[in-house]
Amino acid sequence: MAQEVFWRRKSLKEMNAREWESLCDGCALCCLHKVEDEDTQEVFYTTVVCHLLDLNDCHCTEYEKRCQLVPSCIKLKPEDVESFDWLPPTCSYRLIHEGQELPEWHPLLTGERSSVIRANVSVLSVYEVKDNEISEDQLIDFVLDENY
């Protein structure tokens, strides 16, 4: 009998670094800027993407240094899973934390990193502009009509 896949038998906090990183589907939706309503604390996604994102393959061009180069970049860590509700509902970290299955287009299931792009669920389907092309005051003008 085949061994059950790691994401079904381990919690996020039990995963090693390689397993944790492999859960990322590469959608880059977390690279979209967000704005928070000061009164309600509700988070809204914008169509503004980080300037470090490679728009050909949805990968950060400076992944190891991203938090130093972009201080507002949030590094997802297993100990922070309780606060993952701001991530899109298709995010693997959020899905696993909520006890759900990975979507059929996830690279761990397809064996192809580009499957998220082909499924049209990546940042490429929503972004309009990079953050270094607008001022921070303009972020509100790019709030998505439908939020995650």
Side-chain angles (χ1 to χ4, degrees), residues 43-56:
V43 175
F44 296 91
Y45 278 76
T46 70
T47 56
V48 180
V49 73
C50 177
H51 64 278
L52 295 179
L53 189 68
D54 182 327
L55 294 171
N56 292 313

Side-chain angles (χ1 to χ4, degrees), residues 6 16 26 29-30 44 56-58 60 68 80 82 144:
F6 72 89
N16 63 40
L29 290 171
C30 58
F44 296 91
N56 292 313
D57 64 7
C58 289
C60 183
Q68 294 140 322
D80 298 330
E82 299 301 323
L144 276 167

Side-chain angles (χ1 to χ4, degrees), residues 2-20:
Q3 185 177 11
E4 191 173 27
V5 290
F6 72 89
W7 63 88
R8 288 192 187 126
R9 62 182 159 80
K10 291 183 175 184
S11 72
L12 291 172
K13 292 179 182 180
E14 294 172 325
M15 292 179 189
N16 63 40
R18 185 187 57 73
E19 291 167 334
W20 174 263

Side-chain angles (χ1 to χ4, degrees), residues 58-86:
C58 289
H59 287 95
C60 183
T61 58
E62 296 289 346
Y63 187 73
E64 296 302 321
K65 298 187 293 187
R66 69 192 184 281
C67 293
Q68 294 140 322
L69 298 171
V70 180
S72 62
C73 182
I74 297 172
K75 182 177 180 180
L76 299 178
K77 299 177 286 196
E79 57 269 22
D80 298 330
V81 296
E82 299 301 323
S83 66
F84 284 3
D85 59 343
W86 62 269

Side-chain angles (χ1 to χ4, degrees), residues 127-145:
Y127 95 95
E128 289 184 76
V129 64
K130 286 195 169 192
D131 59 8
N132 60 354
E133 299 170 345
I134 65 166
S135 71
E136 191 170 329
D137 293 343
Q138 292 176 293
L139 271 179
I140 195 74
D141 298 330
F142 292 90
V143 169
L144 276 167
D145 291 334

Side-chain angles (χ1 to χ4, degrees), residues 17-31:
R18 185 187 57 73
E19 291 167 334
W20 174 263
E21 288 293 322
S22 73
L23 269 185
C24 176
D25 60 28
C27 72
L29 290 171
C30 58
C31 298

